[in-house]
Amino acid sequence: MSAISDKFKKQIESDESFIAWIKSITADEEIDNICEMLNVDIKLYLSVHKPYMTVAQIQTMVAEGFTIGAHSQRHQKLGRLSEDEIESEIVGSCDLIQGITGKASVPFSFPNTASGVDRDFLNQILLDHPSIGLLFDAKGLDLDRDFIFNRVWVESPKLNAGGNEPLQHVIEAAYQDYLLQWLDRKRNLTRN
């Protein structure tokens, strides 16, 4: 644990580097060690605060017409994982939600982004597992393959720099971001 403590101390030199370091942590064991070092009792916190919905609450929502989707098992950037791990994250989480909701297909929203995940591989996962419904990424208004729908990431600091912006401003920012990306792509094509 001393190696993590030294790493932790180095990372808190500035808020930005600390935030970047926290976001980079992916190994469950490392997260558990950090919680232990900070005296965070995860089981106690979860039992007291109950931040997650129960199966009964989810089933009630489904009965009332809500669609419940999957979001992976470990909330890691899938582009950093092997194909077997990517498939396990997607299929495992969709199967779990399908078992709770009883729905024939379950939509899946990529944690963070689907950047770095091969689209032909994703298409094969969809063909092999018809219980997986629509796929959602967070690339704003950018177009992707016909089986991936992009959404505007309302919580994005890039789009929502001023805090709790009205939806209109968030959507306007998404259009501006898309236009800038399109112009950059066009400029790069012209240079090559």
Side-chain angles (χ1 to χ4, degrees):
M1 186 154 66
S2 64
I4 291 177
S5 297
D6 292 341
K7 185 177 182 180
F8 179 75
K9 288 174 188 173
K10 289 178 185 176
Q11 293 297 327
I12 60 173
E13 292 172 359
S14 78
D15 288 345
E16 287 182 23
S17 65
F18 178 73
I19 292 168
W21 174 68
I22 288 291
K23 288 182 175 182
S24 73
I25 298 170
T26 56
D28 292 338
E29 181 180 315
E30 192 169 344
I31 292 170
D32 290 344
N33 288 337
I34 291 167
C35 288
E36 182 181 328
M37 183 179 73
L38 297 173
N39 295 319
V40 175
D41 186 334
I42 297 169
K43 290 181 182 179
L44 176 64
Y45 177 86
L46 293 175
S47 70
V48 171
H49 297 283
K50 299 183 184 347
Y52 302 113
M53 294 178 69
T54 66
V55 169
Q57 289 170 323
I58 294 170
Q59 290 170 335
T60 297
M61 288 182 69
V62 170
E64 292 174 354
F66 285 87
T67 298
I68 306 296
H71 193 54
S72 78
Q73 297 181 103
R74 297 178 297 155
H75 203 268
Q76 295 190 10
K77 290 184 179 178
L78 299 188
R80 296 179 179 171
L81 304 178
S82 71
E83 287 188 347
D84 286 342
E85 290 172 313
I86 292 168
E87 186 169 6
S88 175
E89 288 289 325
I90 295 171
V91 175
S93 64
C94 286
D95 286 350
L96 177 69
I97 298 299
Q98 186 181 42
I100 293 170
T101 64
K103 296 295 182 180
S105 72
V106 174
F108 180 84
S109 180
F110 292 93
N112 305 293
T113 178
S115 293
V117 181
D118 182 74
R119 297 322 197 233
D120 291 332
F121 174 68
L122 288 174
N123 190 45
Q124 190 59 51
I125 290 174
L126 291 173
L127 293 172
D128 292 345
H129 304 276
S131 62
I132 300 172
L134 300 174
L135 299 179
F136 292 91
D137 199 358
K139 290 187 172 182
L141 302 174
D142 210 4
L143 298 176
D144 206 317
R145 296 278 293 270
D146 62 353
F147 53 84
I148 297 180
F149 296 86
N150 283 306
R151 57 189 165 79
V152 174
W153 185 25
V154 177
E155 303 87 11
S156 170
K158 184 177 181 184
L159 294 178
N160 195 5
N164 294 321
E165 295 288 333
L167 183 58
Q168 176 185 349
H169 294 140
V170 173
I171 292 172
E172 287 171 357
Y175 274 101
Q176 290 169 0
D177 189 52
Y178 177 74
L179 177 61
L180 291 173
Q181 289 175 19
W182 180 82
L183 288 170
D184 281 344
R185 283 194 297 266
K186 190 117 172 118
R187 189 178 308 126
N188 288 335
L189 288 174
T190 306
R191 289 180 188 161
N192 296 332

